[in-house]
C-alpha cells in the first residue's frame, strides 16, 4: 500500500444528457461534465447533444464558467461508423471540447493522426486494470486513464505509484453493469439493441421469473421448469429464509417485499454454497446489480492521488445531477480540509432513485465502523423529490413549484440549493389558482410555496420530503 501523499484536489466530474443537467451539475459543485453524441457514445436515449448547436452551446457555457466539457466518443464502432467518423467529428473538434473520451484503438489512432493536439481520455470501456496497460496507453499519447470499475482501492493505489505522471479517473457513483465493465450482450440478443453501440435496454434489470423446482432423491435438486431464455435452472425451494440471509452483494438489487417463496441457486464451481433469492409477484432480479455509491471512500481516493472522481448517469434527471454533485462536492471538500466523513451524506444519496447501493469492488468487506452507520444514517436521512422551483412571484413572496411526487401540509421539507440546503415544514401551500390546499396528490400539478429564509429566488432549487 502506498504512503499517504499531500492531498491534491481531484476534479468532480458529473454526467450531462442535456444543457439543463449540465447547468445544474455546475451550480451544485461539479468541476466538469461529460456528454456525447448519440452516434459515437454509449448513450442514445435522453441525450440532446446530438444537435450540434446544443453541443456548441454546452461547450461554450462550460468554458465561460471556467469548467471543463469532455466529449464522449467511446463506442466500439462497426465499419459503417468508422467511415463517417472523421467527417462527423471535424465540426465537433472545432468546438474545442477539453478532451475526447475514447475506447477503440482504431478511432484513437485516427484522432491522433488528424488532430494530434486533442487530449484523449481512455474510457472505462477499455477495461484498464493494471499499470502495464496504463504505461502502454501513455506511450501512444493518451492523457488520462479512466480505470476499470473492477479494481480495489489498493490496486488503484498501486497503479498511482507505478504511473505517477498519468492522470487517473475512477467512478464513484451510479449504475453498474452486470457484465465486465459494460461488455454485455443480453440486450442485443433479446431485441437487437446493442449495449456496445449505445442502445442498451437494460435487460439485466428485467424481472426474470424462476419456475418452481422439486427435490429428486437425497440432496439432489431437480429443476421442473426453465428460465425465460430457455435454460433449465438447478434450483430448489426452502421453507423459510430471513431477510438478512438474502445478502447484499453486487448481484442483489433491491429486494421486493411481499412474496414468501425463496429459491436457492448453486453455482457449479461452489458446491454447497446456496444463494437464496426472494421472489414476489413481479418476479426476481437475478442479474440486477446494485448501484455504486463510494462516497465513504472519497477520502482514501483523495489520499491516493486520483485526479478525477466520476458520477455515472447521463440519462438521469437534473435533480440527480444536483444531489449527487452536491454530496460528492462536500465529501471532497471535507477530505481536503482534513475533516472526517460526514455520514449524513449517505442519507442524502439514498433519496435518489436507486436499486440499493454497493461500494462495488473497492473493498471486499465493510469496516466495522461502516457496518455500524451505513444503514442507520441512510434510513434516517432519506428523502424523496417532490418538486422543482420553476418561478417566483415577488409580490406574493411565493415560489412556483412543478410537482413531482405527493406531499402535504405539515411535511418536513428539504430545499436543495447550491448555496446550502434549508429545511422547513410545509405550512402554506396554494394551488395554481391561489387557493389554500392541504394535500398535493402528485405530479402534473403546479403549486405555490414560500421559500425558506436564506434561499435566493434566482438559484436552482429542488424540494424533497423527508420520509
Amino acid at each position: 500500500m502506498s504512503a499517504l501523499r499531500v492531498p491534491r484536489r481531484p476534479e468532480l466530474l458529473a454526467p450531462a444528457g442535456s444543457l439543463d443537467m449540465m447547468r445544474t451539475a455546475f451550480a451544485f459543485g461539479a468541476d466538469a461534465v461529460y456528454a456525447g453524441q448519440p452516434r459515437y457514445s454509449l448513450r442514445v436515449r435522453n441525450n440532446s447533444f446530438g444537435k450540434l448547436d446544443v453541443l456548441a452551446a454546452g461547450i461554450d457555457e462550460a468554458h465561460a464558467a471556467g469548467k471543463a466539457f469532455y466529449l464522449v466518443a467511446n463506442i466500439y464502432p462497426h465499419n459503417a461508423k468508422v467511415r463517417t467518423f472523421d467527417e462527423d467529428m471535424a465540426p465537433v473538434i472545432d468546438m474545442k471540447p477539453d478532451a475526447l473520451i475514447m475506447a477503440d484503438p482504431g478511432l484513437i489512432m485516427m484522432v491522433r493522426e488528424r488532430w494530434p493536439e486533442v487530449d484523449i481520455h481512455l474510457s472505462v470501456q477499455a477495461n484498464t486494470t493494471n499499470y502495464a496497460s496504463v504505461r502502454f496507453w501513455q506511450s501512444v499519447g493518451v492523457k488520462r486513464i479512466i480505470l476499470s470499475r473492477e479494481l480495489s482501492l489498493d490496486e488503484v493505489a498501486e497503479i498511482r505509484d507505478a504511473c505517477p505522471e498519468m492522470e487517473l479517473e475512477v467512478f464513484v457513483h451510479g449504475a453498474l453493469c452486470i457484465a465486465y465493465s459494460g461488455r454485455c450482450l443480453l440486450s442485443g440478443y433479446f431485441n437487437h439493441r446493442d449495449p456496445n453501440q449505445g442502445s442498451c435496454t437494460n435487460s439485466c434489470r428485467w424481472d426474470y421469473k424462476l419456475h418452481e423446482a422439486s427435490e429428486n432423491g437425497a440432496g439432489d435438486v431437480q429443476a421442473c421448469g426453465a428460465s425465460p431464455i430457455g435454460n433449465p435452472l438447478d434450483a430448489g425451494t426452502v421453507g423459510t429464509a430471513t431477510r438478512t440471509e438474502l445478502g447484499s452483494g453486487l448481484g442483489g438489487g433491491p429486494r421486493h417485499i411481499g412474496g414468501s417463496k425463496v429459491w436457492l441457486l448453486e453455482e457449479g464451481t461452489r458446491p454447497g454454497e446456496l444463494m437464496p433469492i426472494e421472489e414476489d409477484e413481479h418476479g426476481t432480479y437475478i442479474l440486477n446489480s446494485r448501484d455504486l455509491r463510494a462516497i465513504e471512500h472519497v477520502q482514501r481516493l483523495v489520499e491516493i492521488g486520483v485526479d478525477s472522481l466520476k458520477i455515472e448517469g447521463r440519462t438521469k434527471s437534473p435533480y440527480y445531477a444536483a444531489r449527487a454533485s452536491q454530496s460528492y462536492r462536500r465529501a471532497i471538500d471535507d477530505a481536503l480540509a482534513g475533516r472526517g466523513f460526514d455520514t449524513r451524506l449517505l442519507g442524502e444519496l439514498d433519496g435518489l432513485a436507486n436499486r440499493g447501493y454497493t461500494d462495488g469492488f473497492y473493498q471486499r468487506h465493510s469496516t466495522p465502523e461502516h457496518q455500524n452507520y451505513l444503514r442507520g444514517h441512510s434510513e434516517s436521512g432519506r428523502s424523496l423529490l417532490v418538486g422543482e422551483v420553476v418561478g417566483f412571484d415577488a409580490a406574493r413572496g411565493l415560489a412556483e413549484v412543478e410537482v413531482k411526487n405527493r406531499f402535504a401540509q405539515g411535511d418536513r421539507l428539504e430545499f436543495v440549493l447550491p448555496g446550502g440546503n434549508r429545511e422547513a415544514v410545509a405550512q402554506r401551500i396554494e394551488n395554481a389558482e391561489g387557493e389554500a390546499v392541504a394535500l398535493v396528490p402528485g405530479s402534473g400539478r403546479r403549486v405555490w410555496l414560500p421559500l425558506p429564509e436564506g434561499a435566493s429566488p434566482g438559484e436552482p432549487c429542488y424540494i424533497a420530503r423527508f420520509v
Side-chain angles (χ1 to χ4, degrees):
M1 188 179 300
S2 62
L4 296 183
R5 304 169 174 80
V6 176
R8 70 177 78 182
R9 184 182 188 275
E11 170 189 85
L12 177 58
L13 179 54
S18 66
L19 288 175
D20 190 23
M21 193 173 181
M22 179 197 76
R23 293 162 182 157
T24 302
F26 287 153
F28 283 85
D31 300 302
V33 296
Y34 62 101
Q37 297 173 292
R39 182 168 174 81
Y40 298 107
S41 74
L42 297 185
R43 291 296 181 272
V44 171
R45 62 187 177 87
N46 298 346
N47 186 351
S48 65
F49 289 106
K51 299 178 180 178
L52 290 181
D53 59 336
V54 175
L55 184 59
I59 295 171
D60 288 345
E61 283 190 32
H63 292 168
K67 309 284 187 175
F69 190 108
Y70 304 132
L71 184 76
V72 184
N74 62 344
I75 198 169
Y76 282 100
H78 293 214
N79 290 327
K81 291 183 179 180
V82 173
R83 286 192 291 268
T84 61
F85 182 76
D86 267 3
E87 182 180 349
D88 289 345
M89 290 302 294
V92 174
I93 297 297
D94 289 342
M95 298 174 191
K96 306 295 184 186
D98 293 276
L100 298 183
I101 300 174
M102 306 184 72
D104 182 75
L107 294 189
I108 291 174
M109 179 185 67
M110 292 168 67
V111 170
R112 302 304 311 139
E113 290 175 349
R114 182 166 178 180
W115 300 287
E117 75 284 0
V118 172
D119 288 337
I120 294 176
H121 295 177
L122 189 71
S123 170
V124 72
Q125 293 298 115
N127 304 140
T128 306
T129 57
N130 61 77
Y131 58 78
S133 291
V134 172
R135 288 170 176 166
F136 165 77
W137 288 111
Q138 187 173 16
S139 73
V140 297
V142 170
K143 182 180 182 181
R144 177 185 295 183
I145 304 293
I146 306 168
L147 294 174
S148 173
R149 291 182 176 96
E150 287 74 27
L151 295 177
S152 69
L153 290 167
D154 288 344
E155 288 174 312
V156 173
E158 186 177 3
I159 291 173
R160 174 78 289 166
D161 285 341
C163 307
E165 304 303 319
M166 174 59 79
E167 291 186 15
L168 300 179
E169 177 178 309
V170 300
F171 278 91
V172 290
H173 196 88
L176 290 170
C177 292
I178 202 67
Y180 194 87
S181 280
R183 300 287 188 84
C184 183
L185 301 175
L186 280 177
S187 177
Y189 177 79
F190 283 138
N191 51 18
H192 308 292
R193 289 179 59 178
D194 189 350
N196 299 298
Q197 299 298 309
S199 54
C200 183
T201 56
N202 302 119
S203 303
C204 61
R205 294 161 196 159
W206 296 352
D207 54 344
Y208 298 95
K209 292 179 173 58
L210 296 177
H211 293 271
E212 188 171 359
S214 64
E215 293 189 0
N216 180 20
D220 282 340
V221 176
Q222 179 71 36
C224 294
S227 74
I229 57 174
N231 295 321
L233 297 173
D234 291 326
T237 57
V238 295
T240 59
T242 65
R243 294 293 189 267
T244 55
E245 290 173 325
L246 295 176
S248 59
L250 278 175
R255 301 302 178 186
H256 293 261
I257 306 304
S260 59
K261 184 175 293 185
V262 177
W263 303 86
L264 294 179
L265 296 183
E266 184 179 25
E267 199 267 326
T269 62
R270 296 174 176 81
E273 293 183 21
L274 302 181
M275 297 173 285
I277 295 178
E278 185 172 345
E279 183 181 66
D280 67 4
E281 67 275 12
H282 301 296
T284 61
Y285 295 81
I286 301 170
L287 300 177
N288 190 348
S289 170
R290 294 187 177 211
D291 290 342
L292 176 65
R293 180 185 64 187
I295 196 166
E296 66 268 31
H297 299 308
V298 165
Q299 183 172 5
R300 175 78 194 283
L301 291 167
V302 169
E303 291 169 351
I304 288 171
V306 172
D307 297 276
S308 182
L309 305 184
K310 187 172 193 174
I311 299 166
E312 185 277 340
R314 280 187 282 154
T315 62
K316 300 290 184 67
S317 68
Y319 175 67
Y320 173 91
R323 187 65 113 172
S325 297
Q326 183 187 64
S327 297
Y328 281 90
R329 173 82 277 146
R330 285 167 52 192
I332 291 171
D333 291 346
D334 285 347
L336 291 171
R339 295 186 289 267
F341 175 58
D342 185 350
T343 57
R344 291 174 296 182
L345 297 176
L346 296 164
E348 293 180 4
L349 293 170
D350 252 3
L352 297 175
N354 66 83
R355 303 175 185 87
Y357 282 123
T358 175
D359 62 351
F361 296 90
Y362 280 127
Q363 60 179 6
R364 187 167 180 81
H365 301 291
S366 295
T367 65
E369 180 187 22
H370 286 179
Q371 289 172 345
N372 286 336
Y373 68 63
L374 279 174
R375 176 170 294 278
H377 278 277
S378 292
E379 290 178 348
S380 64
R382 188 172 183 271
S383 60
L384 173 71
L385 175 68
V386 295
E388 177 184 355
V389 173
V390 295
F392 187 77
D393 186 336
R396 299 162 63 202
L398 296 177
E400 186 180 15
V401 177
E402 182 179 330
V403 178
K404 305 294 186 181
N405 286 292
R406 178 188 182 279
F407 71 101
Q409 198 172 34
D411 285 343
R412 186 164 66 100
L413 302 179
E414 181 182 23
F415 292 78
V416 182
L417 299 155
N421 299 348
R422 307 282 192 277
E423 295 181 18
V425 174
Q427 296 179 339
R428 178 185 175 190
I429 307 174
E430 295 183 5
N431 64 18
E433 289 73 38
E435 303 166 336
V437 294
L439 173 68
V440 185
S443 63
R445 298 168 175 81
R446 294 205 174 189
V447 298
W448 297 88
L449 288 177
L451 289 174
E453 185 177 352
S456 171
E459 61 183 345
C461 179
Y462 298 90
I463 303 171
R465 173 176 61 86
F466 285 102
V467 296

